[in-house]
Amino acid sequence: MAQNIGYDDTPLIPGSEFKVHDSRRPQPRIVQPGTESAPEQAGRPPSDAVLLFDGTSLAGWKSKDGGDAAWRVADGYFEVVPSTGDITTRAEFGDCQLHLEWAAPSEVKGDSQGRGNSGVFLMGRYEIQVLDCYDNPTYADGTTGAVYGQYPPLVNACRAPGEWQTYDIIWEGPRFDGEQLVRPAYVTVLLNGVLLHHRAELLGGTSHRQAPSYAPHPPVGPLKLQDHGDLVRFRNIWYRPLMPYDQQ
């Protein structure tokens, strides 16, 4: 079992009795996700979806410096190349339904935050954690599917290392009037068809060992995937913009 899975010297999360990445915070209970779909059918996008990865090319993605994304593409997926840095979509978007699939390395190395770690950053700022938490405890607000540093998932629905896992995310970005926050962000997350967050109200952007807070930003942003040094794979990435009813 992992040791030192959290911190006790970080600030309190606003409105919570727990500190950021608190080692005392209860672990999510474990549930077993349903059987994995056939690979050729997994994540097949609806007709109005915008593809962010077509299985063959990272042309729609860029590195931190704006150059070509340097991660490896093979067999319908792409994989983190450690030390090349995070990658972001060239496309920017706001409120959406997002679908993506990911797999932690089948060869287990490390524990806690050092095992199959990556992250899905909505609008490049708000992280849904990617981590191999199959029999791998860590601080609760950093587990698989956590709104990192804010909310643990309702349950731990991880499949075994190496198996493909599915995120379905409903994202409602924050709204600003100049420097003033007029509406916080909200997120709904399902992992492998199991609900992890139901319209959770975000407390701000993602930070490590710091309390979350908002800073004004544009109404759209890229999807960012994190290079945390682990060989995490991704495939079947698409989104559907969420439009007001009168704009359908």
Side-chain angles (χ1 to χ4, degrees):
M1 179 170 292
Q3 302 296 316
N4 301 320
I5 63 173
Y7 300 89
D8 59 12
D9 61 349
T10 50
L12 282 171
I13 295 174
S16 171
E17 63 182 290
F18 297 106
K19 298 179 178 181
V20 176
H21 316 320
D22 200 325
S23 60
R24 301 174 299 110
R25 198 165 189 173
Q27 295 290 307
R29 63 185 175 88
I30 295 173
V31 302
Q32 298 300 319
T35 303
E36 184 178 5
S37 303
E40 65 273 11
Q41 296 182 354
R44 182 172 292 170
S47 59
D48 62 349
V50 179
L51 292 180
L52 295 174
F53 175 61
D54 66 1
T56 66
S57 169
L58 282 174
W61 297 73
K62 61 183 179 180
S63 63
K64 185 176 181 179
D65 63 6
D68 294 338
W71 293 11
R72 185 176 74 93
V73 178
D75 300 325
Y77 65 83
F78 62 86
E79 181 180 71
V80 175
V81 175
S83 300
T84 60
D86 304 342
I87 64 172
T88 62
T89 57
R90 296 185 184 276
E92 297 191 352
F93 49 96
D95 297 1
C96 67
Q97 172 191 351
L98 175 69
H99 175 97
L100 63 82
E101 298 166 25
W102 59 274
S106 55
E107 181 181 358
V108 175
K109 295 181 179 180
D111 58 14
S112 187
Q113 293 289 297
R115 182 170 143 182
N117 193 326
S118 183
V120 174
F121 285 77
L122 298 151
M123 303 182 79
R125 295 171 169 85
Y126 306 94
E127 182 183 13
I128 305 301
Q129 174 74 309
V130 170
L131 193 72
D132 178 7
C133 277
Y134 188 86
D135 194 25
N136 177 40
T138 188
Y139 46 83
D141 62 12
T143 54
T144 310
V147 180
Y148 188 80
Q150 300 184 40
Y151 303 119
L154 295 172
V155 296
N156 179 346
C158 283
R159 295 193 171 109
E163 295 187 27
W164 284 102
Q165 319 216 43
T166 299
Y167 273 158
D168 288 291
I169 298 171
I170 307 299
W171 172 249
E172 302 170 65
R175 300 290 191 269
F176 298 93
D177 182 2
E179 298 294 310
Q180 182 70 33
L181 176 72
V182 296
R183 192 195 79 178
Y186 295 92
V187 71
T188 296
V189 181
L190 292 91
L191 171 62
N192 302 323
V194 179
L195 183 67
L196 302 188
H197 303 282
H198 181 210
R199 204 167 186 262
E201 180 181 321
L202 272 68
L203 304 171
T206 297
S207 298
H208 178 58
R209 299 190 53 154
Q210 298 179 11
S213 62
Y214 281 102
H217 60 75
V220 297
L223 177 67
K224 181 172 77 172
L225 300 178
Q226 184 182 40
D227 170 12
H228 204 280
D230 294 322
L231 302 179
V232 179
R233 297 177 175 182
F234 295 90
R235 69 179 188 187
N236 295 334
I237 306 176
W238 51 263
Y239 77 95
R240 300 174 63 245
L242 294 185
M243 306 293 290
Y245 286 111
D246 60 359
Q247 297 181 24
Q248 297 292 323

